[in-house]
Amino acid sequence: MKKMTRQLDPQDFLKSYPAQSVVLVCSRNGMVYNVAPYAWHMPISMDPPALVIGVRRSRDTYANIMETGEFVVSVPGPELVEDIDICARSIPRDRSEFDIAGLTPSPGKMIDTPGVLECQVNIECRTMWNKEAGDHDVIAGRIVHVSLADHLDPQVINRTHLRAVYHTAAGDVSYSRIGDPIR
């Protein structure tokens, strides 16, 4: 019988946790648009459609979402890895990562915050609630609109059509792509 005898400090749990896909969370401070990469996110409801993101309270993204009550989750492809790194930098709140990374704002259809035109998917959300969870807050967003890149057919799209980027290192900057489907 197989045993589990090795231990890992709970503070290091991310080293043993499956890689999460990276999304770009867009928020706004007035007319200054913020873009920041996040790997702590997941869908939480089908009815109503909703997702959550984990955000540190010290981040501009957190302040912006709390002030506006809205955000966009954009799904980048591997060609945007350099832009993801640029958006991860600490940039003053009055400067836009769109400008610094050379990304194009894609106007929201149901909210005033744009998504990222270069991304595969833009998911517009209105804040439902937030809850403190240690050093991050969990922010739930009700999905009010989803925009797809032209190459994605809304009649046949599923998760295997997205070219996701995964954050593969705990604490370091390392990315990978998903492999071939098993079946």
Side-chain angles (χ1 to χ4, degrees):
M1 173 183 253
K2 186 176 177 180
K3 294 182 179 182
M4 298 187 85
T5 59
R6 306 265 178 153
Q7 296 181 20
L8 184 65
D9 187 310
Q11 292 291 322
D12 293 329
F13 81 95
L14 285 178
K15 293 177 181 178
S16 64
Y17 198 78
Q20 297 293 113
S21 63
V22 175
V23 297
L24 293 172
V25 176
C26 305
S27 61
R28 65 184 171 82
N29 173 24
M31 294 307 293
V32 177
Y33 302 133
N34 175 269
V35 184
Y38 285 88
W40 292 14
H41 59 87
M42 67 179 217
I44 59 162
S45 175
M46 297 290 288
D47 186 16
L51 55 78
V52 294
I53 56 175
V55 182
R56 286 186 187 268
R57 291 177 293 283
S58 61
R59 299 292 301 255
D60 293 343
T61 302
Y62 179 83
N64 294 345
I65 293 171
M66 291 301 105
E67 289 172 13
T68 65
E70 61 185 41
F71 59 96
V72 177
V73 174
S74 299
V75 181
E79 69 281 358
L80 295 180
V81 167
E82 297 301 322
D83 300 303
I84 292 168
D85 279 344
I86 291 169
C87 292
R89 296 177 187 162
S90 181
I91 295 170
R93 193 165 183 225
D94 62 347
R95 298 219 33 222
S96 174
E97 288 83 0
F98 277 99
D99 297 335
I100 295 167
L103 297 170
T104 310
S106 178
K109 304 293 187 217
M110 301 294 290
I111 63 175
D112 293 327
T113 299
V116 179
L117 183 65
E118 292 81 3
C119 283
Q120 303 166 91
V121 179
N122 285 311
I123 304 168
E124 297 178 29
C125 299
R126 286 200 178 103
T127 305
M128 297 169 63
W129 51 261
N130 74 293
K131 173 84 174 146
E132 185 178 325
D135 62 358
H136 283 66
D137 271 25
V138 177
I139 302 173
R142 181 178 183 149
I143 299 167
V144 296
H145 190 268
V146 179
S147 298
L148 302 175
D150 289 342
H151 72 277
L152 297 171
D153 183 344
Q155 302 301 315
V156 296
I157 187 172
N158 67 46
R159 291 176 179 178
T160 63
H161 296 119
L162 300 178
R163 295 171 298 117
V165 175
Y166 291 85
H167 185 257
T168 54
D172 296 325
V173 179
S174 177
Y175 303 106
S176 69
R177 291 180 250 209
I178 196 166
D180 294 325
I182 295 171
R183 53 170 130 163

